[in-house]
Amino acid sequence: MKTSAVYEVVECRETTDDSILEDQIIRLSSDKGRKDCPTDLRRVKICREEDGKVLVFISNDLKRSAAEIAALYKSRWQIELFFKWIKQNLKVKRFLGRSENAVKIQVLTAMIAYLLLRLAQITTPCKLSLQQIARRVSLNLTRRCSLLELFSDPPDSMEVNSLQNQGSLELVYA
């Protein structure tokens, strides 16, 4: 909610959760607010447990509890982070088609790619981040190798040099 929003409190509801600071039914009282949204709204003010930050949410859901609304906004934020990761790492910056079906197919393809990368991360004993795994896979798309080989760290250059000097390592270039 914007701090400059003008509203009047219609009803204050009791809160049972310690993290819920306020639970109110409000009505926008500015001329533009009354014109654009003539219905009552729910204003929920919470204190986030992780860092103590105060957040204010507006919803048109008058039936759910304030704790449920806060949980919905929290899960919505997780979805936002998921799509941000997809945009950054799977290069879905623009849609290839304009129809609803084309957009759905592209988003679903990106989600499948994400799930396959996450599955590869949890089923192999690698310590790489999901972003590092995505980069390694994209750089090796045409190379045939196992996931273990792909996710294992290359030998240290100092170690390779010492093995070469001892004559116990032979490098073969394809």
Side-chain angles (χ1 to χ4, degrees):
M1 179 175 178
K2 291 184 177 181
T3 55
S4 62
V6 181
Y7 63 92
E8 61 184 76
V9 178
V10 176
E11 174 189 346
C12 287
R13 295 184 173 184
E14 278 190 42
T15 61
T16 56
D17 195 336
D18 292 339
S19 64
I20 310 289
L21 304 176
E22 292 177 352
D23 182 8
Q24 302 170 329
I25 304 295
I26 64 165
R27 188 174 298 128
L28 299 177
S29 56
S30 69
D31 291 336
K32 185 175 179 351
R34 276 194 305 264
K35 181 180 160 231
D36 292 345
C37 184
T39 61
D40 289 348
L41 299 171
R42 183 85 168 271
R43 180 178 178 271
V44 178
K45 185 176 183 179
I46 67 162
C47 181
R48 197 163 49 191
E49 294 173 7
E50 298 89 44
D51 57 2
K53 186 174 181 179
V54 175
L55 302 171
V56 181
F57 303 120
I58 298 292
S59 174
N60 62 352
D61 188 345
L62 304 176
K63 294 183 178 158
R64 294 181 201 256
S65 71
E68 286 178 302
I69 290 174
L72 285 171
Y73 272 92
K74 186 175 184 177
S75 61
R76 179 180 175 265
W77 182 247
Q78 293 301 317
I79 293 168
E80 294 283 341
L81 292 176
F82 169 73
F83 278 103
K84 178 183 175 188
W85 188 93
I86 284 181
K87 277 179 67 176
Q88 288 176 341
N89 297 291
L90 298 180
K91 307 299 184 229
V92 181
K93 299 211 184 293
R94 61 184 178 86
F95 292 107
L96 302 175
R98 295 192 183 273
S99 71
E100 180 182 347
N101 195 37
V103 171
K104 283 181 180 178
I105 288 171
Q106 193 169 350
V107 169
L108 287 173
T109 303
M111 291 173 76
I112 290 168
Y114 171 83
L115 291 172
L116 287 172
L117 290 170
R118 182 70 177 112
L119 184 64
Q121 183 187 36
I122 62 175
T123 57
T124 58
C126 74
K127 302 285 189 251
L128 300 173
S129 70
L130 206 52
Q131 186 178 34
Q132 290 170 322
I133 290 172
R135 285 185 180 153
R136 285 194 185 185
V137 168
S138 69
L139 290 173
N140 293 285
L141 283 176
T142 58
R143 186 172 156 233
R144 189 177 180 118
C145 65
S146 71
L147 288 178
L148 292 175
E149 180 184 347
L150 186 62
F151 299 155
S152 64
D153 288 328
D156 194 16
S157 61
M158 297 275 293
E159 183 182 321
V160 169
N161 289 339
S162 69
L163 289 172
Q164 278 179 326
N165 292 340
Q166 295 171 3
S168 59
L169 177 68
E170 181 182 329
L171 293 177
V172 177
Y173 296 99

